[in-house]
Amino acid sequence: IHIEAGGRSFDWRMPEEKCRTVIDHVSDAYYCYSNRHKENLVHEGVPEDRITVIGNIIYDAINAFLPKAQQSDIINTLDLIEKTYALVTIHREENTNAKEVLEEKMQGLMKLADEMPVVLPLMPRVRNNLQTFGLLEALEKSKVTIIKPQGYFDFLKLQENAALIISDSGTVQEEACILGVPALICRRSTERPETVQIGASILAENDLYENARKALLLPLGWDPMILNKEGGSPSEKTYNDLISKI
């Protein structure tokens, strides 16, 4: 069983692209976020009667947990003001394994932090790379607010109240779109092009600072249901279909 089946960036430099393609071709039941994902699978020879379009299960996660997340005190703890800060997550190998790439990202964040609060939950592996490359000290001395990786409720609260989200995470990209927060996606490619097409995010591999400024100017008001066009609960659809097949 593969939930989130058929997602493709068509970028074989991404480890996830290889993994999800392999998983798709050893699965028996396929649950897709959209008809585009279904078309990808059919094109690759997957029998159509094994494919069910359910929508994006991130909607269920947000609907279930946002009320709890809204009770979090993380905004006050970090002395932030709602809708004035940028929230950042950087973790992908393409952004963190080469010194010159990671340095460009950090320089962009530090420049942005001179203009608005920037909050960076720093992953242990990324911290280690920054230390190894001799980049950590400058970051720590900058205006960037470095915090430990957060639990889901605190992080969701930070996402909902950010003015801008900068990330290389596909899930964060989806969550930003659903929550109505503009996003800069720091990647070479994405398997979620819908958020870019509707103007909820910008996809850019380089020039973090300049593209962050552009993302801040994205008009709000896009359709937050773009990833779940048919509505309803994707999780319930998956459960009901699976039970009917057992």
Side-chain angles (χ1 to χ4, degrees), residues 2-210:
H2 190 191
I3 300 174
E4 197 177 337
R8 297 289 184 270
S9 66
F10 304 102
D11 184 351
W12 280 88
R13 296 170 296 183
M14 294 175 59
E16 301 97 313
E17 185 76 358
K18 300 180 180 70
C19 291
R20 57 179 162 245
T21 302
V22 170
I23 292 170
D24 275 336
H25 288 276
V26 297
S27 296
D28 296 304
Y30 304 80
Y31 295 98
C32 297
Y33 284 178
S34 71
N35 285 319
R36 179 177 62 81
H37 294 73
K38 178 179 178 178
E39 291 168 4
N40 289 339
L41 292 172
V42 172
H43 179 74
E44 293 176 13
V46 174
E48 191 167 351
D49 60 359
R50 294 186 180 185
I51 306 170
T52 304
V53 177
I54 59 167
N56 191 315
I57 59 173
I58 298 299
Y59 282 90
D60 285 335
I62 289 179
N63 287 336
F65 298 121
L66 186 57
K68 178 71 173 180
Q70 288 170 336
Q71 299 175 28
S72 165
D73 198 42
I74 189 66
I75 302 294
N76 292 329
T77 299
L78 297 177
D79 196 26
L80 296 170
I81 299 174
E82 295 178 359
K83 297 300 179 181
T84 66
Y85 63 88
L87 177 64
V88 183
T89 70
I90 299 290
H91 74 281
R92 287 183 178 272
E93 292 182 358
E94 69 187 71
N95 287 325
T96 61
N97 277 10
K99 178 181 178 179
E100 60 274 15
V101 176
L102 184 56
E103 185 172 21
E104 187 273 330
K105 298 292 184 293
M106 295 303 107
Q107 287 177 343
L109 292 181
M110 289 187 286
K111 186 174 181 179
L112 185 64
D114 288 333
E115 302 175 6
M116 66 185 300
V118 173
V119 180
L120 173 63
L122 191 57
M123 302 297 178
R125 185 179 64 82
V126 180
R127 176 182 285 275
N128 289 341
N129 285 2
L130 288 166
Q131 182 73 60
T132 299
F133 296 148
L135 304 174
L136 184 59
E137 183 177 357
L139 182 64
E140 290 178 332
K141 290 180 178 179
S142 74
K143 294 182 179 180
V144 175
T145 300
I146 302 172
I147 61 175
K148 295 179 180 179
Q150 300 296 294
Y152 184 63
F153 294 150
D154 288 340
F155 188 72
L156 190 56
K157 178 68 176 283
L158 287 169
Q159 286 187 94
E160 182 189 27
N161 291 284
L164 172 68
I165 292 174
I166 300 172
S167 183
D168 56 11
S169 163
T171 299
V172 171
Q173 177 182 348
E174 294 171 333
E175 290 169 338
C177 177
I178 295 168
L179 293 168
V181 180
L184 168 60
I185 311 305
C186 299
R187 293 171 56 172
R188 297 175 297 208
S189 56
T190 179
E191 62 278 16
R192 298 162 173 89
E194 290 86 355
T195 72
V196 179
Q197 292 165 356
I198 65 166
S201 56
I202 291 174
L203 177 69
E205 181 180 3
N206 300 312
D207 300 320
L208 185 147
Y209 171 77
E210 294 297 335

